[in-house]
């Protein structure tokens, strides 16, 4: 029986597609729940992860990993999806999203929105997030889950034996040298969090530095597979100079389905609690870097991080105090 070259070619293609389909549907390994401490109650809770099955598939299945490399991490995919959230038709997604994640809308300035992104980037009422105004205290720049490390060089990052690479993260060897033995604070915003970010302390600010990169997820489900994500994703940072805390690097990190990072502040001097900007659709992250011996991070945050847990925090809430005490004139 004669089989043509064309039939052989199609046979190989169909066989390849069948193998891909089998691999794509291969059972995923069980995942540990994403747990965190509620700082207010002291209770250990489990986070409801948006698109959890999709994330687990992308980072744990061979076909998913290929899709991640080819598509999901690309800017064009996140931008296109982010743009759909600007369309008036996306309004219909708001109420189901609020219900699914039990979002408190009583603190929002408005209740009617023109698009999903209009809702997603909503402003809060004045004093909805009280800010610790003490000059000796620095505060969280955003709502989210926090990880804190007193010394970057000597701390395990996410996984035992891994380290946070300051050089790759800042993409500036000379600047990175200042923070090798410094402190690191990471605030992860989930899709259901308030998505505006604020200055954690007052001071003069440098121009924004932008570092191009990809759009990997910053969820712990992804970070446990790729600890270098923060050094691969798009990010932009500003240096805040403060007499008690030194030069603090504040970085906004992009992530999967983040339409864009928008900076709203103006001028070269900022006040603690003042809005810096916002993320369009998608969860993302704010990273703070402190020089050595400039901040004493609150103990509960350090202990929870050491034990492998994030801590839920609100914008304006204290995260640490200065190690340099101001001179009081008499």
């Amino acid at each position: 029986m004669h089989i043509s070259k064309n039939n052989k070619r199609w046979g190989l293609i169909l066989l390849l597609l069948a193998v891909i389909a089998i691999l794509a549907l291969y059972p995923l390994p069980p995942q540990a729940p994403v747990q965190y401490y509620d700082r207010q109650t002291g209770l250990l809770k489990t986070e409801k992860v948006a698109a959890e099955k999709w994330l687990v598939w992308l980072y744990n299945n061979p076909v998913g990993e290929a899709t991640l490399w080819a598509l999901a991490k690309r800017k064009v995919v996140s931008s296109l999806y982010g743009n759909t959230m600007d369309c008036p038709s996306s309004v219909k997604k708001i109420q189901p999203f609020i219900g699914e994640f039990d979002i408190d809308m009583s603190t929002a300035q408005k209740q009617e929105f023109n698009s999903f992104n209009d809702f997603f980037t909503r402003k809060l009422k004045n004093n909805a997030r009280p800010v610790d105004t003490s000059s000796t205290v620095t505060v969280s720049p955003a709502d989210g889950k926090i990880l804190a490390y007193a010394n970057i060089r000597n701390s395990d990052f996410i996984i035992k034996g891994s380290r946070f690479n300051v050089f790759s993260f800042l993409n500036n060897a000379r600047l990175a040298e200042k923070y090798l033995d410094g402190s690191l604070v990471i605030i992860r915003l989930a899709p259901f969090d308030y998505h505006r970010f604020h200055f954690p302390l007052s001071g003069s600010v440098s121009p924004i530095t932008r570092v191009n990169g990809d759009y990997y997820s910053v969820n712990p489900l992804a970070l446990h597979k790729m600890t270098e994500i923060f050094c691969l994703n798009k990010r932009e940072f500003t240096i805040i100079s403060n007499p008690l805390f030194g030069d603090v690097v504040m970085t906004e990190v992009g992530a999967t389905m983040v339409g864009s990072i928008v900076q709203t502040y103006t001028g070269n001097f900022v006040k603690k609690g003042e809005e810096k900007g916002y993320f369009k659709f998608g969860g993302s992250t704010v990273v703070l870097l402190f020089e050595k011996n400039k901040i004493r991070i609150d103990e509960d945050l350090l202990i929870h991080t050491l034990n492998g847990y994030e801590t839920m925090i609100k914008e304006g809430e204290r995260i640490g105090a200065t190690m340099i005490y101001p001179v009081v004139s008499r």
Side-chain angles (χ1 to χ4, degrees):
M1 180 179 177
H2 179 70
I3 301 176
S4 68
K5 289 184 178 180
N6 190 50
N7 287 339
K8 285 183 179 179
R9 187 181 299 114
W10 276 109
L12 288 173
I13 291 173
L14 290 173
L15 178 61
L16 179 61
L17 290 174
V19 171
I20 291 173
I22 291 170
L23 288 174
L25 297 172
Y26 193 79
L28 296 169
Q31 301 294 308
V34 177
Q35 294 185 304
Y36 64 92
Y37 273 98
D38 184 322
R39 200 179 196 190
Q40 300 300 318
T41 65
L43 298 175
L44 184 64
K45 296 185 175 182
T46 299
E47 180 177 328
K48 186 173 185 179
V49 179
E52 181 175 3
K53 290 182 179 179
W54 166 248
L55 281 175
V56 173
W57 183 77
L58 279 177
Y59 288 89
N60 293 275
N61 179 280
V63 179
E65 290 175 1
T67 303
L68 176 66
W69 182 85
L71 293 173
K73 71 169 188 174
R74 307 293 178 182
K75 177 181 179 180
V76 63
V77 175
S78 292
S79 295
L80 284 173
Y81 194 79
N83 289 340
T84 65
M85 295 302 175
D86 283 322
C87 297
S89 60
S90 64
V91 167
K92 64 180 181 290
K93 299 177 181 290
I94 297 175
Q95 287 304 322
F97 190 84
I98 291 173
E100 181 179 1
F101 293 104
D102 193 25
I103 297 173
D104 179 12
M105 292 299 295
S106 66
T107 57
Q109 287 189 11
K110 63 180 185 179
Q111 303 295 317
E112 299 293 329
F113 303 96
N114 301 319
S115 68
F116 192 90
N117 255 332
D118 187 30
F119 150 74
F120 192 79
T121 61
R122 63 194 178 278
K123 288 191 173 187
L124 301 184
K125 295 176 182 177
N126 293 334
N127 301 318
R129 296 288 183 270
V131 177
D132 189 323
T133 57
S134 171
S135 63
T136 60
V137 165
T138 190
V139 301
S140 175
D143 286 10
K145 312 291 192 315
I146 191 169
L147 292 171
Y149 305 87
N151 187 310
I152 299 170
R153 192 194 296 268
N154 297 327
S155 300
D156 285 329
F157 176 61
I158 304 295
I159 298 175
K160 186 174 177 61
S162 68
R163 294 288 184 271
F164 186 88
N165 192 323
V166 183
F167 289 97
S168 295
F169 182 70
L170 294 176
N171 198 35
N172 183 323
R174 186 174 180 180
L175 178 62
E177 289 282 354
K178 293 178 62 175
Y179 301 94
L180 283 179
D181 294 294
S183 301
L184 168 68
V185 174
I186 299 171
I187 302 95
R188 175 179 64 88
L189 289 71
F192 46 79
D193 286 318
Y194 164 62
H195 265 72
R196 290 183 179 257
F197 45 86
H198 301 247
F199 287 101
L201 67 168
S202 301
S204 57
V205 292
S206 70
I208 297 170
T209 299
R210 293 179 171 87
V211 183
N212 290 326
D214 295 314
Y215 290 79
Y216 290 102
S217 171
V218 294
N219 188 276
L221 294 173
L223 281 171
H224 277 86
K225 295 292 290 185
M226 296 178 62
T227 58
E228 70 274 24
I229 283 175
F230 291 127
C231 300
L232 296 175
N233 279 9
K234 173 188 175 181
R235 52 205 181 275
E236 44 193 68
F237 66 83
T238 305
I239 299 172
I240 311 166
S241 297
N242 179 283
L244 299 182
F245 289 94
D247 292 339
V248 180
V249 178
M250 179 175 179
T251 308
E252 293 80 48
V253 183
T256 305
M257 301 309 171
V258 174
S260 58
I261 301 169
V262 181
Q263 305 288 347
T264 58
Y265 76 98
T266 58
N268 55 17
F269 186 88
V270 297
K271 293 182 179 180
K272 183 196 295 185
E274 176 186 341
E275 183 183 299
K276 186 176 189 291
Y278 59 85
F279 296 106
K280 288 186 135 183
F281 181 74
S284 205
T285 304
V286 178
V287 177
L288 303 177
L289 289 170
F290 296 85
E291 297 171 88
K292 182 180 180 180
N293 295 331
K294 291 296 175 68
I295 184 174
R296 181 177 288 104
I297 298 174
D298 289 350
E299 189 174 5
D300 63 322
L301 304 178
L302 294 175
I303 291 173
H304 291 160
T305 300
L306 183 63
N307 291 329
Y309 298 103
E310 297 171 305
T311 305
M312 187 173 71
I313 201 161
K314 297 294 185 183
E315 185 268 317
E317 189 176 330
R318 168 186 164 137
I319 60 174
T322 181
M323 296 178 73
I324 303 173
Y325 294 95
V327 176
V328 180
S329 58
R330 297 183 178 180

